[in-house]
Amino acid sequence: MTETTVGIGGAAEGTDMVLNIGPQHPSTHGVLRLRLVLEGERISHAEPVIGYMHRGAEKLFEARDYRQIIMLANRHDWLSAFCNELGVVIAVERMLGMEVPERAVWTRTLLAELNRVLNHLMFLGSYPLELGGITPVFHAFREREELQNAMEEVSGGRMHYMFNRVGGLKEDLPNGWLGRARQAIADVRSRMDVFDRLVLGNEIFRGRTRGVGHLTPQTVHAYGVSGPIARASGVDFDLRRDEPYLAYGELADTLKVVTRTEGDCLARFECLLEQTHNSLDLADACLDRIAELPPGPINQRLPKVLKAPEGHTYAWTENPLGINGYYLVSKGEKTPYRLKLRSASYNNIQALTELLPGTLVADMVAILGSMFFVVGDIDK
């Protein structure tokens, strides 16, 4: 009896293929590397390799005084600069036992929500772009320009605002700015339905995202995932509601925590879009309240050399991409003894080790883009 094997070539041996995505792949929002092990067209193992943008921000905090560290804090997530600043100044104010003027509290809340909209609009435009649809990004940038102009007028900066100060804000709002900001918000809101029609209504987009990249609540808790990504998996947690800071405690009737249960790429995009609508409503509510406030200070007078008393505190805020926390340790000097940063993207991106295995290589970009991360927020 004779057996003959014909035409199998190299397939006679089962070998895994190791594929490097990055560190310069255009779909990774920066210098991120993914090390994938493939079995045919399916991913069997995924490892995010981070650190290419690491600049030692936490160590740099120790060599800057409490006024200077605001500049370092607003740069790790460059789409959420104002919200990054907030966490630092709140931590220092808590150490000092300092009360912030009411006008500053409401203005901070307003600008934080405008910054949230700016962050979300970037991803609402760039995510469809990664799946082959270029049109939404033009709409997203038009709306961003409306709000960027308002933020630039009030702070002088387009990305790194440097407008927060320990004890309040740098200066009061310009004359007539409230009306211009209200008009910008109304203009953006009137055109937001384009994302419902152009993106969510597109059958190709839905086909590429529905049921793809399912993230379970158990994985969310295991990896410390937060923000819209966690809420898309049914984890109903938002610091603005659950541990209110700034003026969010008085905005409970307007604040809506958007959740989904599917946990796929489509659910994450829907959460981001619906949360953008709600942030515009919150900004309007803040404008209404600021208009009712009597004239008053926007900050506290500080000593020439600011020293935080000896001790430690942890201040966390609901940043656009998730929980952002600062653990501040002071020895009574003018610089922090230690300042540990807990960034949202760092935890969120680790979940890719659970999300990618078992999926097709063709779905990798769809899953990666739906994690809505900033690489500087990972590497710090």
Side-chain angles (χ1 to χ4, degrees), residues 41-52:
E41 287 293 311
R42 289 201 178 272
I43 299 170
S44 62
H45 178 76
E47 177 190 359
V49 182
I50 64 173
Y52 291 94

Side-chain angles (χ1 to χ4, degrees), residues 263-330:
D264 57 8
C265 296
L266 181 60
R268 291 191 276 274
F269 186 86
E270 288 176 342
C271 276
L272 206 71
L273 178 56
E274 197 171 334
Q275 189 167 291
T276 306
H277 285 288
N278 185 240
S279 288
L280 291 170
D281 295 338
L282 288 168
D284 267 339
C286 291
L287 285 170
D288 293 339
R289 183 58 186 270
I290 293 171
E292 297 171 357
L293 292 176
I298 199 75
N299 50 37
Q300 296 275 25
R301 291 183 63 87
L302 299 176
K304 187 174 181 180
V305 178
L306 180 63
K307 294 184 179 181
E310 188 170 349
H312 61 91
T313 189
Y314 181 66
W316 58 347
T317 55
E318 188 68 39
N319 260 33
L321 298 181
I323 293 173
N324 191 75
Y326 293 95
Y327 179 60
L328 170 63
V329 181
S330 171

Side-chain angles (χ1 to χ4, degrees), residues 9 64 93 188 198 228 259 264 282 326:
R64 307 293 192 279
E93 288 161 3
V188 171
L198 191 63
T259 60
D264 57 8
L282 288 168
Y326 293 95

Side-chain angles (χ1 to χ4, degrees), residues 144-343:
R144 275 176 56 85
E145 282 302 306
E146 291 262 7
L147 299 178
Q148 282 281 33
N149 290 339
M151 294 289 282
E152 184 176 12
E153 181 184 356
V154 76
S155 68
R158 284 186 62 80
M159 286 187 70
H160 304 299
Y161 304 108
M162 279 299 295
F163 197 57
N164 278 289
R165 295 292 186 273
V166 176
L169 294 167
K170 175 186 173 186
E171 57 196 11
D172 209 341
L173 302 172
N175 289 335
W177 184 85
L178 292 178
R180 291 188 289 276
R182 191 182 296 277
Q183 185 60 52
I185 292 167
D187 290 343
V188 171
R189 181 186 285 110
S190 69
R191 295 190 292 260
M192 282 298 294
D193 68 313
V194 73
F195 294 100
D196 291 292
R197 294 184 288 104
L198 191 63
V199 183
L200 288 180
N202 185 290
E203 62 183 59
I204 298 175
F205 179 84
R206 299 184 75 87
R208 291 290 306 276
T209 56
R210 185 193 287 124
V212 174
H214 179 66
L215 182 65
T216 65
Q218 292 77 18
T219 304
V220 168
H221 292 304
Y223 284 87
V225 176
S226 59
I229 300 171
R231 292 191 283 272
S233 296
V235 179
D236 188 5
F237 181 71
D238 191 313
L239 286 173
R240 297 174 298 170
R241 178 200 63 194
D242 300 324
E243 287 195 20
Y245 58 98
L246 296 181
Y248 289 114
E250 299 182 50
L251 292 168
D253 294 337
T254 308
L255 176 62
K256 178 184 177 184
V257 179
V258 182
T259 60
R260 294 288 187 275
T261 56
E262 294 83 359
D264 57 8
C265 296
L266 181 60
R268 291 191 276 274
F269 186 86
E270 288 176 342
C271 276
L272 206 71
L273 178 56
E274 197 171 334
Q275 189 167 291
T276 306
H277 285 288
N278 185 240
S279 288
L280 291 170
D281 295 338
L282 288 168
D284 267 339
C286 291
L287 285 170
D288 293 339
R289 183 58 186 270
I290 293 171
E292 297 171 357
L293 292 176
I298 199 75
N299 50 37
Q300 296 275 25
R301 291 183 63 87
L302 299 176
K304 187 174 181 180
V305 178
L306 180 63
K307 294 184 179 181
E310 188 170 349
H312 61 91
T313 189
Y314 181 66
W316 58 347
T317 55
E318 188 68 39
N319 260 33
L321 298 181
I323 293 173
N324 191 75
Y326 293 95
Y327 179 60
L328 170 63
V329 181
S330 171
K331 293 291 188 182
E333 301 297 328
K334 65 178 182 180
T335 61
Y337 176 73
R338 188 76 175 90
L339 190 56
K340 169 66 179 173
L341 167 59
R342 188 267 190 221
S343 62

Side-chain angles (χ1 to χ4, degrees), residues 127-155:
Y127 185 44
L129 177 65
E130 290 163 7
L131 300 181
I134 194 171
T135 309
V137 77
F138 296 124
H139 290 278
F141 268 85
R142 179 181 65 180
E143 313 313 333
R144 275 176 56 85
E145 282 302 306
E146 291 262 7
L147 299 178
Q148 282 281 33
N149 290 339
M151 294 289 282
E152 184 176 12
E153 181 184 356
V154 76
S155 68

Side-chain angles (χ1 to χ4, degrees), residues 39-87:
E39 292 180 3
E41 287 293 311
R42 289 201 178 272
I43 299 170
S44 62
H45 178 76
E47 177 190 359
V49 182
I50 64 173
Y52 291 94
M53 290 185 69
H54 179 64
R55 59 195 175 89
E58 293 171 332
K59 198 65 181 174
L60 292 173
F61 283 134
E62 299 173 16
R64 307 293 192 279
D65 66 36
Y66 288 108
R67 292 179 174 89
Q68 295 169 330
I69 60 174
I70 299 171
M71 178 275 295
L72 290 171
N74 72 17
R75 278 162 165 73
H76 57 88
D77 175 2
W78 48 76
L79 296 177
S80 312
F82 186 87
C83 298
N84 296 342
E85 299 171 11
L86 267 178

